Structures are given as structure tokens and as C-alpha cells.
Amino acid sequence: MEHASLVAFLEGKLAPEQFGDEVGAEVSACNQAFRSKGLGYIVVSDGPCTIVTRDHAKRLLEAVADQRLTFQIANYAADCIIMSDDFEFADDAVNEAIYFVEDDSVAPTLEEVRAAIEQLSR
């Protein structure tokens, strides 16, 4: 994933659908490799240090809640944020929201996504 594309999406300069189109094949390849070989690679290019804000986290969660971005793509984006040295969290609420999206053990329900959005509004 290109750092610049992820930041553009988080900042609202790239629509969720455009972002999904741009990274969809990469996410599918990673998920397929994980299913078939038990190992998938998450790659994000280097970029300037970016502080992930509550607005950024809300944009990611709202894109999932509004079905403008699949959970798989949001999950991969969250993995990229967490694994990159070029992203930092503005506060603990942002940290929790990104880790919520990163947890792919069970896809969250719409109610859980909405509750996570609400937590960012406090």
C-alpha cells in the first residue's frame, strides 16, 4: 500500500471507493496467500510521519459502516497503520479504534462499528 494513498483516504482527499479500487487487488492477494499458505504480507511504503486523528479513524470506520469500503480493506489499512513506523496515534481513543478495525478474528457487526464511531466522538 502506498503511504500517500492511505493518507489521502484518511484525510478525505480520496473517496473510500477509489481507495478500495486502488488497494483491492493487493488486499485480495494478501488474504489469498494467507488462506492458501498461512502467510500473507502486509506492505506499506515509507512516507512522512502522520498523526492519525479521531477524524481519520472515524472516516475509516464510517466507510465500513456505510458499506463504501469492505471490512477486509479497512482491516488491511489498519494493519498498515499499525505496522508502519510512519504513523502515530493522536490519543488512546484513536489507538483503540484502529486496533478494533485491525482485529480480524471476527468481522464486527454494524452496531459494533457504530459504537466504535461513537467512542471517537466523546
Side-chain angles (χ1 to χ4, degrees):
M1 179 175 299
E2 291 295 321
H3 179 276
S5 295
L6 180 52
V7 171
F9 163 68
L10 293 174
E11 292 180 350
K13 297 175 184 171
L14 188 62
E17 296 85 0
Q18 293 171 302
F19 179 66
D21 288 345
E22 187 173 315
V23 302
E26 178 180 343
V27 173
S28 293
C30 178
N31 290 338
Q32 178 60 33
F34 184 76
R35 283 190 298 275
S36 65
K37 301 174 188 169
L39 183 63
Y41 293 98
I42 296 171
V43 179
V44 60
S45 67
D46 292 335
C49 184
T50 302
I51 305 297
V52 181
T53 66
R54 287 177 183 232
D55 285 341
H56 294 152
K58 277 185 192 178
R59 191 165 288 113
L60 181 63
L61 288 163
E62 287 171 348
V64 172
D66 296 341
Q67 297 181 345
R68 295 182 67 197
L69 196 65
T70 67
F71 175 73
Q72 290 77 19
I73 291 174
N75 172 261
Y76 188 88
D79 280 331
C80 287
I81 291 168
I82 291 167
M83 293 182 174
S84 173
D85 292 335
D86 298 324
F87 291 96
E88 295 180 16
F89 301 119
D91 59 30
D92 288 340
V94 174
N95 183 325
E96 290 175 18
I98 298 301
Y99 273 90
F100 169 77
V101 177
E102 185 271 342
D103 181 5
D104 62 357
S105 58
V106 176
T109 64
L110 178 58
E111 293 78 22
E112 291 169 330
V113 174
R114 294 273 182 224
I117 294 167
E118 189 64 33
Q119 286 294 323
L120 289 166
S121 299
R122 295 181 185 182

